[in-house]
Amino acid sequence: MTEAMFLVLIVEDDAGIRGVLRMLLESQHYRVVEAESAARGIIEARNHRPDLLVVDLGLPDRDGLAVIREIRRFAPTPVLVLSARTMEVDKIAALDAGADDYVAKPFSAPELLARVRAGLRRNAQGGEQLPILATMPPAPTIVTLSP
Ligand code: CA
């Protein structure tokens, strides 16, 4: 299996952010499926069996944490949380719900891609989890998002 075959599911209600993520991921030759709500995300995860999920926490129907818990009932797929919530308690809640990693918005494109690669690598190696990294200093490429 080559990297070109990896499928990433984006669960994010902001169309602008979804577009940026799709562009970034497709630039690395990943295939991308998008979901704009928690309910849709769970359906797409069941349908497509992605290799990795990027999950926003602030979704219109249910909290992203609910998506993560639901996914964990049927798949060990790596979950990368992408959220504007930057409190330590939010990160801990996401990790406890089953997330593997956490990236705060606004995010650095190179860092996000590096964490996607790390998640896919861990998946390929059998799901060994690494501890979440401390917040990294701002990278040169910052994606600015609407509030
Ligand atoms: Ca959101």
Side-chain angles (χ1 to χ4, degrees), residues 43-123:
I43 290 168
E44 299 296 359
R46 287 184 184 279
N47 286 346
H48 294 279
R49 298 285 164 158
D51 298 293
L52 181 137
L53 283 92
V54 177
V55 178
D56 178 28
L57 294 182
L59 295 167
D61 51 345
R62 295 168 74 189
D63 195 279
L65 293 177
V67 176
I68 298 168
R69 289 194 195 98
E70 189 65 29
I71 299 298
R72 278 288 165 269
R73 289 158 56 96
F74 64 90
T77 317
V79 173
L80 175 60
V81 169
L82 179 62
S83 178
R85 301 178 194 169
T86 54
M87 301 284 287
E88 184 180 36
V89 63
D90 294 315
K91 296 181 184 177
I92 290 168
L95 294 170
D96 281 346
D100 299 279
D101 205 352
Y102 198 106
V103 175
K105 298 174 182 173
F107 63 91
S108 132
E111 182 189 346
L112 180 101
L113 290 174
R115 287 173 184 269
V116 167
R117 286 194 298 275
L120 291 170
R121 215 158 46 225
R122 286 199 295 279
N123 196 20

Side-chain angles (χ1 to χ4, degrees), residues 12-13 56 58:
E12 163 68 76
D13 58 318
D56 178 28

